[in-house]
Amino acid sequence: MNITVDRFSLILAFGFGSAAMLGWLAAAAAPLLIHLWSRRRYREVPWAAVTFLLAALRKNSRRIQLQQWILLAMRTLMVVLVVLAIAEPHGQNLAAGVGDVPTHKVIVIDTSFSMAYRESDASLLTKAKQLAGELVAQSGTGDAYTVITLSDRPRQLVGRDMVDRSSIVAHIEAIPQTQGGANLAATLDAVSSALELDAKERDRWTRQDVYFFSDMQRKTWAADGAGVRLGELAKNASISAVDVGAPRATNLAVTELRSAAPFATVGEDVAFDATLHEFGDEPRKEVRVEFLVDDAPVGEQTIDVPANSDASVRFTHRFRDAGSHAVAVRAASDQLEIDNTRWLVVPVEQQIRVLCVAGEPEDAKYLAAALAPDPSTESPIRPQVISESELVDTDLTGYECMFLSNVAQLTADETERLTHYVDAGGGLAIFLGDRVQAESYNALARGEAPLLPARLTDVRTEVQFGVDPLDYRHPIAAPFRGRERAGLLTTPVGRYFRLEIPNEHSAAEKALALPNGDPLVVTAPHGRGRVVLVATAGSLSSVDRTNGEPWTTWPAWPSFLPVVREIFAFAVGGQHEQWQAMIGGPLTATLPFDRGSGDFELTRPDGRKTSLPVAVSSRDQPWHYDETDVTGIYSLGRGGALVSQFAVNVDTHESDLAQIDPHQLPAEIKVRSDWRSANGVVASGVLSEATWNRPLLWAAAALVLMELCLAWLFGRGAA
C-alpha cells in the first residue's frame, strides 16, 4: 500500500522520549580528540636508524590511514548509538494521522472516581477526554475507533461502525464521571474483544493501536495478572498509556463509619465512630469533621490526621423518633471530594424485641433475665418467652433476634421459617440441653447452605472449669480482654455436646472454647443474618439423668449475663448490614406484603425515582436493586410513607492515588506523561509509535564486536 507523506510531516513523525540526553552526543568527539592528542603529545626527531623503516611504511601509508579512519569512525558511531538509545527515539507510525494506512484505534478512558481529582479547575477525567478527543480529531480519515471506559462496569461507547469523527469526539466529551473503582480485568476483556477482527476487517485495518488515558493508579494497574494480560494484548496491537495523573497527589478520605452499639433505641445515646485516612506524606492539621443526621448538621469536631495514617473521631446522638435514620460524617473538602463523606443507615426502634423459645418452662428463664436484668426499669431489650409448641404459630416479623433453649427438635416447617428469618437478617442463638435430639439438629448442619455452623456428636460428661477466650479474637470474646474478674475464665461446664465444624463450612468460627479444646460457642453468617450455637445449656433445668446434677451452673455464674448480651449483640449485628452497600453492589431487602397499598418507589441520591411493583402474594417479598452507581442515601417509600433507607458508599481502595512505577508494566507498554510538541501541536507519534532504542543498542553491541575483530585483523596485517 502506498503512503504519501510530505517532508514537514516526516519531521513531526520523529521525536525523542528523553531529549535532554542528546547533550551527551558531545561525547562522540572523544575518540577524535584522543587521536589528535596522541599525535601532538610526541615531538618528531629524525633518527638515521629508522630511515629505512619509514621508507617501507610510506609504501602502505594509504592503507594504514584508511584502517585508522575506519576504527575511529566505528568508535565514534558506538558512542552516538548508545546516546541515541538512552534518549529513546521514536517515530510516528505514518498510518496514524499523516498517511493513508487505515488503523483501528481502541481508546480506553479511565472514569474511576480517582479521576475526579482536580489539579486546578479541571479534573483528571476532563484532561483525559480532551487529549483523547484531540487524538481522534488529528487521526487519519480511514481510521476506525472503539471507545471503552475503564470502570467497575466497563462500557463500549463507540464501535467501529461510527465513522464521523465529530460524533466520536462528542461521545468522548459526554463520558460521565463514575463513583466506582476500576475493574482492569473486565476492561482488558472488553479491549481484547474489540481487537478481534474478521478476515475482511483485517484487510481493511492493517494496524491496531490501543491507547489508555488514565491516572495510572497503582491499585488498578498493579492488580494480579494485569501485566500478563497487557503483554498478551501487545502481541496483537501497539499499546500506549497516557498518564494524566498528578505524581504527588494526596488525598483525605473518610474510610469507615460505624455504630459502636449493635442497635439503636429511642431516647438512648448511640455512639458513632468514624475513621479518616490521609493518603499522602504530609499530615493534615485541624481537619473539620461534620456529623449529620437526616441531612441536618448536629455536631462538629476538628482533628489532626497523620501522614499515611488513620485518625478516629466519635460522635454521640440520641434519636427522638423511631424509624430509619440516615447518619453521615463529612470531612472538609479537598481536591478529591467523592470520598470525603460516608453514610450509615440506622434503624431506630422503640424497643428491641427478642423471642425466647423454651423447651421446658424454666429453660428460657435465665436468658430472659440476662437480656432484661432489671424488671423495675424499662429496658431497651424486650424479651418474650414462648414454649416450643407455640413456635409453629408465632409470627417472627418484628423480632430482631431469637433464642432457642433446650428445644428438642425442629419440624420441617419450623426449619424453613427459621432459615427464611435468618436469611432476611435475623439473629438466631441456640443453647442446647438434655432434651435436644442430635440427629434432628444435624439435619440443619448438612447441605450446601447449612443453617447450623457445626454438627452435634456425643455428649461429654467430664467437668471443664474455665473457658478459653481464644486470644479474644472473636467479637463475642473481645469485650472480656483485660476483665478477668468477669468470671469468664473460671466458668464451670459439667456436661455439653461436642461440636464438630465441617471442613466445608469455612465461614464457621469458634468464639469460645473449653480448656480441652472443644468448641463452646460457634458462630457463622447465614444470608444476611448470623447464627450462634452454644454447646451447653442456658439454664439450670437441664440435668444429668444418671446423677441429677445440672449440665452447667453457668447461668448462676457472673460471666453468664455479659456473655449472653455479647451473643445477642453479635447475632443482631448482621441484621443492619442489609441497609448498607458498596457502590455497584445490589440493594436487597424483604418487603412487607400489604395488599392494596400500591407499588414501592425508590428515590436515588441524584433525585431519580424508580417504581418497584410487588407481585400479589401472601408472603413477604424479596427485592433487589442493582443500579447503585451513585453514593448517598437511597430511600424506599410506599404511598408517600418512608419504608426504609439504604446507604451506598465508595470503596476507599480507590482513594489511594499513588501511581504505578512504569517499569512494573510490560516493556511493550509505553507510558507517557508529556506527549505534546514544543509548538503545542499534538505529537500523536508518541501515542502510535515505533521505538528504536533496542535496535540501536543491538547495533552498538554489534559495532563493538566488529571493532574488536577489525582492530585485531589490522594489527595482524601490520605485523
Side-chain angles (χ1 to χ4, degrees):
M1 187 175 294
N2 296 326
I3 301 176
T4 304
V5 185
D6 59 30
R7 294 181 180 179
F8 182 71
S9 298
L10 284 174
I11 294 174
L12 290 179
F14 184 80
F16 293 92
S18 302
M21 299 302 298
L22 294 177
W24 287 97
L25 284 175
L32 180 61
L33 293 175
I34 293 173
H35 174 74
L36 295 176
W37 177 257
S38 298
R39 292 185 57 187
R40 296 180 58 86
R41 63 183 295 186
Y42 302 107
R43 185 165 55 91
E44 295 183 5
V45 178
W47 185 28
V50 297
T51 302
F52 294 101
L53 179 60
L54 290 174
L57 289 175
R58 289 191 186 98
K59 296 181 180 180
N60 298 317
S61 62
R62 289 182 177 274
R63 177 176 60 83
I64 295 173
Q65 188 178 31
L66 178 61
Q67 292 173 351
Q68 294 298 320
W69 278 110
I70 290 175
L71 293 177
L72 180 62
M74 293 180 69
R75 291 162 184 165
T76 303
L77 185 57
M78 278 188 285
V79 176
V80 172
L81 290 177
V82 171
V83 172
L84 289 177
I86 295 175
E88 299 185 37
H90 53 74
Q92 180 183 356
N93 174 23
L94 298 181
V98 295
D100 297 328
V101 176
T103 303
H104 175 216
K105 299 181 179 180
V106 180
I107 299 174
V108 183
I109 299 179
D110 189 347
T111 65
S112 60
F113 85 71
S114 63
M115 293 288 286
Y117 181 88
R118 292 179 177 271
E119 285 188 286
S120 54
D121 293 336
S123 67
L124 300 183
L125 178 60
T126 301
K127 179 180 178 182
K129 293 192 294 185
Q130 178 183 352
L131 297 179
E134 291 175 354
L135 171 64
V136 173
Q138 299 190 20
S139 296
T141 56
D143 293 346
Y145 308 89
T146 299
V147 179
I148 298 171
T149 62
L150 171 56
S151 57
D152 55 349
R153 297 181 181 180
R155 297 172 55 204
Q156 179 176 312
L157 305 178
V158 173
R160 295 187 295 270
D161 54 341
M162 184 175 290
V163 296
D164 183 9
R165 284 189 288 178
S166 61
S167 297
I168 297 171
V169 172
H171 275 76
I172 291 175
E173 292 175 347
I175 293 176
Q177 174 68 65
T178 63
Q179 297 185 12
N183 188 338
L184 183 60
T187 302
L188 294 180
D189 288 340
V191 172
S192 180
S193 298
L195 293 175
E196 295 178 357
L197 306 179
D198 58 30
K200 184 177 180 180
E201 291 173 325
R202 284 194 295 271
D203 291 339
R204 180 178 179 183
W205 297 297
T206 57
R207 178 182 174 87
Q208 297 194 87
D209 296 336
V210 179
Y211 312 124
F212 289 93
F213 293 83
S214 171
D215 58 359
M216 305 307 294
Q217 192 177 32
R218 184 171 55 203
K219 294 286 186 181
T220 298
W221 291 90
D224 291 342
V228 175
R229 293 292 309 280
L230 288 167
E232 292 174 352
L233 289 178
K235 297 177 182 178
N236 302 316
S238 172
I239 301 183
S240 300
V242 179
D243 181 4
V244 299
R248 291 173 295 277
T250 63
N251 180 37
L252 177 70
V254 182
T255 57
E256 186 179 19
L257 174 60
R258 60 184 179 84
S259 171
F263 56 86
T265 55
V266 174
E268 298 287 333
D269 287 339
V270 182
F272 297 91
D273 294 319
T275 302
L276 284 72
H277 188 92
E278 169 57 31
F279 295 93
D281 296 330
E282 295 293 331
R284 301 256 181 168
K285 299 293 186 180
E286 298 183 348
V287 176
R288 185 170 59 87
V289 183
E290 281 187 298
F291 181 64
L292 303 93
V293 176
D294 298 327
D295 284 335
V298 296
E300 181 178 312
Q301 295 186 39
T302 301
I303 63 171
D304 295 336
V305 185
N308 293 308
S309 188
D310 291 334
S312 298
V313 59
R314 168 168 284 196
F315 293 95
T316 302
H317 184 72
R318 179 175 297 181
F319 295 95
R320 300 186 181 277
D321 302 307
S324 178
H325 293 271
V327 172
V329 167
R330 179 185 301 154
S333 62
D334 58 3
Q335 292 169 288
L336 181 61
E337 296 189 5
I338 292 177
D339 55 8
N340 284 28
T341 304
R342 203 159 191 87
W343 290 268
L344 181 70
V345 167
V346 183
V348 179
E349 306 288 346
Q350 288 289 351
Q351 283 186 315
I352 304 298
R353 299 177 63 198
V354 181
L355 184 64
C356 299
V357 184
E360 293 289 349
E362 295 293 315
D363 282 328
K365 171 184 175 182
Y366 291 93
L367 292 173
L371 294 169
D374 188 355
S376 64
T377 60
E378 186 174 352
S379 171
I381 304 174
R382 189 176 69 182
Q384 179 183 349
V385 179
I386 65 172
S387 66
E388 179 179 343
S389 60
E390 294 176 292
L391 176 60
V392 67
D393 296 321
T394 302
D395 183 7
L396 305 182
T397 304
Y399 291 102
E400 303 285 332
C401 187
M402 290 181 60
F403 280 80
L404 304 185
S405 181
N406 202 20
V407 173
Q409 61 181 346
L410 296 170
T411 66
D413 182 63
E414 290 170 341
T415 299
E416 182 182 357
R417 295 179 66 227
L418 285 177
T419 302
H420 178 73
Y421 170 79
V422 177
D423 281 342
L428 176 62
I430 301 174
F431 281 77
L432 304 177
D434 59 354
R435 300 181 67 252
V436 167
Q437 299 178 21
E439 187 53 38
S440 172
Y441 278 74
N442 286 339
L444 308 181
R446 290 191 287 264
E448 295 183 359
L451 179 62
L452 291 190
R455 289 192 291 263
L456 282 60
T457 59
D458 55 317
V459 176
R460 296 297 177 93
T461 58
E462 58 266 27
V463 178
Q464 301 287 317
F465 288 98
V467 171
D468 182 0
L470 302 174
D471 294 330
Y472 304 95
R473 294 187 300 269
H474 197 278
I476 291 176
F480 292 91
R481 184 187 297 275
R483 299 179 179 178
E484 288 73 13
R485 293 184 179 182
L488 179 66
L489 303 182
T490 59
T491 299
V493 177
R495 193 175 178 88
Y496 63 94
F497 277 99
R498 190 172 68 86
L499 302 181
E500 182 180 87
I501 301 175
N503 293 331
E504 60 272 15
H505 207 329
S506 58
E509 185 179 2
K510 286 196 295 185
L512 297 172
L514 295 170
N516 63 1
D518 287 341
L520 177 62
V521 179
V522 181
T523 69
H526 194 283
R528 293 194 300 272
R530 295 173 179 175
V531 179
V532 181
L533 180 61
V534 183
T536 191
S539 72
L540 301 177
S541 59
S542 286
V543 298
D544 186 339
R545 302 189 190 281
T546 61
N547 55 23
E549 294 291 330
W551 271 43
T552 178
T553 57
W554 187 20
W557 212 254
S559 64
F560 185 74
L561 186 149
V563 170
V564 170
R565 295 295 289 261
E566 293 303 329
I567 288 175
F568 164 73
F570 176 78
V572 300
Q575 185 169 16
H576 296 163
E577 292 180 0
Q578 66 175 309
W579 314 118
Q580 330 300 333
M582 301 300 292
I583 192 163
L587 305 181
T588 59
T590 301
L591 304 181
F593 172 75
D594 184 8
R595 188 186 299 272
S597 295
D599 293 342
F600 289 91
E601 186 178 63
L602 183 71
T603 303
R604 293 161 42 95
D606 55 10
R608 288 169 45 196
K609 297 181 182 295
T610 302
S611 180
L612 307 169
V614 177
V616 175
S617 170
S618 60
R619 304 200 59 159
D620 291 344
Q621 303 296 312
W623 164 82
H624 71 276
Y625 178 78
D626 293 326
E627 298 179 22
T628 56
D629 53 351
V630 179
T631 58
I633 300 298
Y634 291 70
S635 300
L636 185 66
R638 194 178 198 187
L642 179 65
V643 175
S644 61
Q645 298 181 101
F646 303 86
V648 174
N649 289 296
V650 298
D651 184 350
T652 52
H653 281 89
E654 185 77 13
S655 298
D656 186 355
L657 304 181
Q659 295 183 294
I660 191 173
D661 183 349
H663 295 95
Q664 294 180 267
L665 297 172
E668 298 85 354
I669 313 302
K670 298 301 177 184
V671 179
R672 304 292 185 193
S673 58
D674 183 5
W675 58 288
R676 292 174 177 273
S677 62
N679 61 3
V681 179
V682 176
S684 55
V686 177
L687 293 174
S688 179
E689 63 184 9
T691 55
W692 300 339
N693 53 331
R694 285 191 177 184
L696 290 174
L697 288 175
W698 282 111
L703 280 176
V704 171
L705 294 176
M706 291 176 60
E707 194 272 345
L708 291 174
C709 293
L710 289 177
W712 177 76
L713 288 174
F714 293 163
R716 183 181 181 186

